[in-house]
Amino acid sequence: MQLGPIHFDSTERWQAFCLCRCRGDHLNPGKTPLTAPDSVFRGMHKLMDDFLNVFLTEFGAPFYRAEVPISSIARYRRRLPDQLLSYWEKYGWSGYADGLFWTVNPQEFEPIVTEWVKQNPTIVVDSYHVIARNAFGDLHLWGENTQTFLMIDACWARYSYMRSNVSKDRNISTFFAILDREHCDPLAFFDAARKRLGRLKHDEMYGFVPVLALGGSAQERSIEVAKIIEHLLFLSQIEPLRHIGLEDI
């Protein structure tokens, strides 16, 4: 059965959803669209740090941190939400949960955007910037003009969108608030791969070898450590991204 949008009529209910979602509760098991009027978010700015604290409770303090240069803050001012730049200034580009989730320097991923996103005529035209990724090379991109999240499932060469009618800063805070470990490790391979192969470095990922598009097997024993930029560029040359649906929040 297809359910209608879940609508939040108060800040408290929206906050409760985000907090429970981060802790793995299943308030939204059908992954139905979520909507909330902008008026719901009056006074929400003071809650944004609380939402990030929920993220830190879920993923822990960063084990790796690269300071973000002032030049990078200036480069992305007015291109990325101020709230994200504030997180950069406070936490840097960092690795969390023993390498499961990373915030990243978008400039390093520009070749991926050029080869895998800009060349794909089915993707909504925008200036996309990679802001985060998981251990398996799945990417989260911010659309500069449409304020849309573009999510790339790298191993399967699939993409989807997530949109919201709220402000850019609220979008970013909610993005971090609703993340959980299960979302970042859908096949539940991370712990075994980390134990067998060791903790990832900031420029590494776990990838299937052979890659799935060339007949590889989606099993933990097929995972090896790869340089993330080189591996994603290789994947982009093998198979174009396919759209798998749209979720509105």
Side-chain angles (χ1 to χ4, degrees):
M1 180 178 66
Q2 180 65 41
L3 301 177
I6 296 176
H7 181 83
F8 296 91
D9 55 9
S10 72
T11 299
E12 291 76 15
R13 292 187 64 193
W14 175 257
Q15 182 186 24
F17 170 80
C18 290
L19 295 176
C20 292
R21 177 67 179 82
C22 283
R23 294 180 179 128
D25 292 353
H26 301 289
L27 296 185
N28 190 24
K31 295 184 178 179
T32 54
L34 311 175
T35 65
D38 198 64
S39 60
V40 165
F41 293 91
R42 290 172 185 165
M44 197 70 170
H45 182 74
K46 64 183 180 181
L47 297 176
M48 290 179 181
D49 284 343
D50 291 337
F51 283 1
L52 188 64
N53 286 337
V54 173
F55 165 81
L56 293 173
T57 298
E58 175 73 10
F59 288 87
F63 72 91
Y64 167 88
R65 170 176 175 155
E67 294 295 329
V68 178
I70 295 176
S71 59
S72 293
I73 298 294
R75 176 185 179 88
Y76 290 103
R77 184 72 67 188
R78 292 183 294 277
R79 301 174 73 184
L80 294 175
D82 288 342
Q83 188 66 36
L84 179 61
L85 302 185
S86 175
Y87 291 161
W88 285 4
E89 290 175 325
K90 188 172 183 179
Y91 296 99
W93 293 316
S94 299
Y96 298 88
D98 230 12
L100 177 60
F101 180 82
W102 303 74
T103 54
V104 302
N105 178 359
Q107 196 169 358
E108 293 181 353
F109 287 80
E110 286 179 358
I112 310 301
V113 176
T114 298
E115 294 298 324
W116 223 359
V117 176
K118 290 184 178 180
Q119 303 297 327
N120 191 319
T122 70
I123 295 178
V124 174
V125 176
D126 202 340
S127 295
Y128 291 102
H129 309 284
V130 178
I131 64 169
R133 58 98 167 184
N134 72 0
F136 302 96
D138 296 342
L139 306 177
H140 298 275
L141 299 85
W142 173 261
E144 183 177 329
N145 301 310
T146 61
Q147 299 184 26
T148 297
F149 279 105
L150 174 66
M151 295 162 289
I152 295 178
D153 183 346
C155 295
W156 301 96
R158 302 180 299 194
Y159 73 90
S160 60
Y161 301 103
M162 186 168 65
R163 294 175 178 167
S164 174
N165 293 323
V166 300
S167 72
K168 294 185 291 185
D169 289 339
R170 292 162 184 166
N171 241 330
I172 288 294
S173 293
T174 303
F175 164 73
F176 282 97
I178 65 176
L179 280 173
D180 59 28
R181 292 176 182 243
E182 182 181 358
H183 172 82
C184 295
D185 186 19
L187 297 178
F189 286 163
F190 177 75
D191 287 339
R194 182 196 58 209
K195 182 177 180 180
R196 179 169 61 87
L197 300 169
R199 178 192 280 175
L200 294 170
K201 298 179 181 178
H202 75 279
D203 60 348
E204 295 177 336
M205 61 172 280
Y206 297 133
F208 293 109
V209 179
V211 300
L212 301 184
L214 296 180
S217 175
Q219 301 182 55
E220 190 279 325
R221 66 173 180 267
S222 299
I223 292 175
E224 295 184 12
V225 174
K227 292 293 185 181
I228 186 166
I229 301 300
E230 290 83 347
H231 191 74
L232 293 180
L233 282 173
F234 177 63
L235 293 178
S236 74
Q237 301 302 313
I238 296 174
E239 189 174 14
L241 295 171
R242 307 182 313 279
H243 188 213
I244 59 170
L246 172 67
E247 289 187 7
D248 294 315
I249 68 168

